[in-house]
Amino acid sequence: MPNGLLTRYRFSWGEAARHWHLQLSPVVEGSYRAVHGTLLQGSLPFSESLDTLLSQLPGFIYQLHYSVEGKWRYAYVGKRVVELFGVSVEEALADAQTLLNSIHPDDREAVFESSSESARTLMPWQQEFRIFHRSGKMLWIEAIDRPRREPDGSVLWTGYANDITQRKALETALKSSEQRFRQLVEQANDIIYTLSAEGTPYLCVA
């Protein structure tokens, strides 16, 4: 510590679950020489801070890896996977099929075919599909991710998946309502029309 300047060090404590800052300052009094250390507040590692931030999002963040041998694995899974699908982070990381096998059978082929195309072209991937919660409840999911070619030729997607079940239900209800109205109009014997604010008909259906 030249010229009596303060120096700070960062070191890990315990099992590296936290980082701490240690501030050292020289103490000089006559011929007495010493160093005084002050332990400052600890800081979370970036990955742990990121997990805390991502847990506040409505969906969850993931990284999905596809090897040159054709094997799938999750390199990262956000903690909200538990709430969304009833699958723990540890289960998803240990075996990607825990989640992938939950995709609705009628949607599975389209999901994997579009993923293969994304891996080939390295174009962003987006898909809406059905998936089952561990409880058996069916959900609609929208997933959006971007692929990256790794040095060994494998592909790593970083993406975001969100539950759109409620939106799909509203779309279905609206479509059903429009269909009922169309049937009503087609079967009506009277003339149905709409007027402008000035009273001029601008839509007439016999």
Side-chain angles (χ1 to χ4, degrees), residues 68-101:
V68 293
E69 294 82 19
K71 295 183 179 179
W72 299 90
R73 70 173 179 85
Y74 281 102
Y76 175 84
V77 176
K79 294 181 179 179
R80 293 210 66 234
V81 69
V82 181
E83 179 182 342
L84 284 175
F85 307 117
V87 175
S88 70
V89 173
E90 293 75 19
E91 287 177 301
L93 290 176
D95 184 3
Q97 298 304 322
T98 305
L99 277 179
L100 300 181
N101 287 341

Side-chain angles (χ1 to χ4, degrees), residues 64-74 95-97 100-101 112 115-116 119 149 152-155 157:
L64 184 59
H65 181 266
Y66 185 65
S67 71
V68 293
E69 294 82 19
K71 295 183 179 179
W72 299 90
R73 70 173 179 85
Y74 281 102
D95 184 3
Q97 298 304 322
L100 300 181
N101 287 341
F112 285 107
S115 296
S116 297
R149 184 80 62 192
D152 64 353
S154 61
V155 178
W157 287 271

